[in-house]
Amino acid sequence: MHKAVLAPDLYCYCLKYGVREHPALQELRLESSKLSNSQMLISPDQGAFMAQLARLISAKSYLEVGVFTGYSTLWMALAMPSNAKITALDISDEHLSLANAYWQRAGVAEKITAIIAPAADSLLSLQQANEVYDFAFIDANKSEYIDYYEACLRLVRPGGLIVIDNVLMYGQVLEESPRKNYVNTLKKLNDLIYHDERVDICMLAIGDGMTLARKKDIYEA
């Protein structure tokens, strides 16, 4: 049975009783909301959901493609153990000082290594270094999403998880002939993942749409 889209007051109820937002997370979110490109921020319920997934799979290593102000990174760092390895990739250090300030404030900065370079280059370097991750999150240049997905599939361990943000792109994926090329890329990616036997999948209408792709173990493939 189809469920209606949550009304604003019901969504606020979900945030109130379903999200435990650390004070540093709340402060970072509010400061990030003042930026002109604040729409790049994930929502608190997305952050709480990802953190819970990390706990459920006992993730000790996390790869993030697209950092912005470090809000999603902070959610994950707070959820993961003290010896966790977090690699945060971004093409720009414009907001890195802001991110670092809150990572330090929350006491998790030592878990996080930020790499500032084009994501394609960073992902290739990680592959060449034989790095392996339990969990990857893709939230960067939408035009490169297919390449990021394939790279993360190589970097995530069997049984590991890839989460992809903005897979609905404010409903533009329903357009037959999107005006924006990156929407076509998202449509192709959604179709690719749906038919990809290398992963188990679930697409959720949370935030701007999130897809969970669990990399199958060899015996499951």
Side-chain angles (χ1 to χ4, degrees):
M1 181 179 179
H2 176 71
K3 302 294 184 182
V5 175
L6 289 181
D9 55 348
L10 190 54
Y11 177 63
C12 289
Y13 182 91
C14 291
L15 293 181
K16 180 178 180 179
Y17 290 104
V19 176
R20 294 175 181 164
E21 195 175 30
H22 188 283
L25 279 166
Q26 185 178 52
E27 292 169 20
L28 176 55
R29 175 171 55 81
L30 293 175
E31 188 162 351
S32 301
S33 69
K34 300 173 186 176
L35 300 172
S36 60
N37 51 352
S38 62
Q39 77 280 358
M40 292 171 60
L41 205 66
I42 65 168
S43 60
D45 50 331
Q46 285 181 289
F49 177 61
M50 288 172 55
Q52 191 77 319
L53 289 174
R55 297 185 191 100
L56 287 168
I57 68 170
S58 300
K60 295 181 180 178
S61 54
Y62 169 65
L63 173 63
E64 185 167 279
V65 186
V67 179
F68 189 38
T69 60
Y71 181 71
S72 51
T73 326
L74 183 52
W75 265 109
M76 297 297 282
L78 287 166
M80 295 171 69
S82 58
N83 63 342
K85 174 185 71 175
I86 296 175
T87 306
L89 310 182
D90 207 289
I91 196 170
S92 170
D93 62 358
E94 180 180 359
H95 303 295
L96 187 57
S97 59
L98 175 62
N100 262 315
Y102 282 92
W103 297 343
Q104 292 284 352
R105 186 178 304 183
V108 298
E110 71 280 357
K111 303 179 188 180
I112 305 167
T113 299
I115 302 175
I116 305 301
D121 296 342
S122 299
L123 291 166
L124 179 59
S125 295
L126 293 171
Q127 291 171 49
Q128 292 171 340
N130 297 314
E131 295 286 353
V132 179
Y133 294 90
D134 298 316
F135 194 128
F137 178 48
I138 300 173
D139 188 17
N141 181 1
K142 314 310 173 194
S143 297
E144 304 296 326
Y145 259 30
I146 293 175
D147 291 338
Y148 296 160
Y149 170 70
E150 292 292 345
C152 286
L153 260 181
R154 291 188 286 271
L155 286 161
V156 168
R157 64 166 172 82
L161 187 64
I162 301 171
V163 176
I164 306 163
D165 195 25
N166 302 116
V167 294
L168 299 181
M169 192 46 66
Y170 307 105
Q172 294 176 57
V173 291
L174 294 178
E175 297 175 3
E176 288 191 15
S177 302
R179 293 169 295 172
K180 299 172 182 176
N181 286 332
Y182 65 80
V183 178
N184 283 313
T185 300
L186 287 170
K187 292 178 68 170
K188 290 177 183 176
L189 175 70
N190 291 339
D191 183 70
L192 167 66
I193 295 175
Y194 179 75
H195 291 96
D196 193 347
E197 293 299 328
R198 297 171 295 178
V199 294
D200 296 308
I201 64 165
C202 176
M203 180 186 285
L204 298 171
I206 178 174
D208 187 30
M210 297 182 83
T211 290
L212 281 60
R214 174 188 170 273
K215 183 176 177 178
K216 292 182 180 179
D217 288 307
I218 294 174
Y219 71 87
E220 296 178 293

